[in-house]
Amino acid sequence: MLLASLLVLTALVPFLAGGVETVRRAVSEPARDWSALGTPLEAPHFLAESRAVSNWRTEAGTSLRPASLALAARWSTTEPAFVARCVKLNNYWCIKKARWSGEIGADAEGHTGFATAADGADAAAGLLRRYYRDFNRRTALAIVRRWAPAECLGTPPTATRVPTALAPRGLGGTLRARFLARNTRAGMPRRALAAKGGPLRVQPWSPLARMGKRVPPGSAPKTLVSVSAKPPATPRHGLLVRPSELLVKPSVITARPSVLLVEPSVVLGNATRAVETATAGLQKRFVAESAALPPLVAGLHPLDLSVPTPFCGTDETRIRNYAARIANSVGLKVEDDLNLFGPDGRPLPALRAVMLAMSSVELGALRAGPALVDAAIGRLDAGTLAAVGPPAPIP
């Protein structure tokens, strides 16, 4: 048995030595360019109908975190619900188009589609440096107000004014406006139309006919037969009882409803005029009192009936929450200086945390990976050193 084993090992040693040598040679050789052996990779392009870049799944699988959701987005046959629109644009900071390096398209809202996620990270790092140094937006709140501004514009629509030379008395005082107010569309005066009974047929037994004092032909109007010899005197305001008695004793109106049934126009007309007079008096009083009070909001006049400026409360809350996420990532408040760049323009350590926090806010469940952000900051720092030059040696 032992002799048979030695014979087998002696026969296999030359083959094993050749296999080990082959593996060692393959490892030591430089990596081959397998793309040259097959079909070259397709260049990324923007798909307008789906508002996405063609390689967004590949970029998401390698550049986003958490890895489980990134791999699900990479290999899913359908579009997952947790994928934000900027993920499909390789734009993990939702930057608007501005002829960036690597920009290959944009969606309807103006968000840029980048060829790779690295191009989007480079644009975000460069834009933050421009905000911080050129625009002097050093706090989280100042950066977010320009990065993700309020969608509520706050500009009320302005009405088109008619020139005074064309309508000295206003648009309602022109000859055409007065003609339309007096006549119908057919050109018939409104008074003549009202005298004829209007365009609608009024039945003689309807309450509308009784209110208009129209009775069927051949019939005499009904009169009230008074029980007492002396009819009760009608008050000046047209009601059988005083309004104060109606408020104190509501049952009085049901005791003597005769005049209200026979001649409702007298009662209703006088009551309507009384209500209009009282309402006009109260309206003047309220206007006078409100004009004397200080305005509740600066710039809001109580007598201004134009469309008020909309209050952007929802947008302001969103902006403050966004700024709080950024400031908390570096342990500061929304009004504190984030210290993103030094005096020479080189990025500081806080830039990495701020970029990761901003990506997390923009993408929701996903966020940019630390390796993607670190590579973008490194390229930005290298470009800054190349432009400024190496630092002077310390004597």
Side-chain angles (χ1 to χ4, degrees), residues 28 61 89 109 151 182 259 267 275 296 339 354:
S28 61
L89 297 173
E109 288 78 15
E151 298 177 358
R182 289 195 306 266
V259 177
V267 179
V275 171
L296 299 178
N339 295 320
V354 168

Side-chain angles (χ1 to χ4, degrees), residues 144-154 312 314-316 318-319:
V144 175
R145 288 193 187 280
R146 188 177 179 93
W147 192 283
E151 298 177 358
C152 181
L153 301 179
C312 305
T314 305
D315 280 339
E316 181 64 22
R318 175 186 60 83
I319 289 174

Side-chain angles (χ1 to χ4, degrees), residues 197-259:
L200 298 178
R201 180 180 179 184
V202 180
Q203 301 295 339
W205 55 81
S206 64
L208 187 60
R210 291 199 300 271
M211 292 178 64
K213 296 183 180 181
R214 286 192 290 271
V215 297
S219 61
K222 297 180 180 180
T223 57
L224 177 64
V225 179
S226 178
V227 178
S228 59
K230 184 177 179 182
T234 304
R236 289 180 298 173
H237 47 70
L239 295 175
L240 296 178
V241 292
R242 290 189 294 274
S244 59
E245 294 181 4
L246 291 178
L247 298 177
V248 179
K249 302 176 182 179
S251 59
V252 178
I253 191 64
T254 61
R256 289 180 290 176
S258 55
V259 177

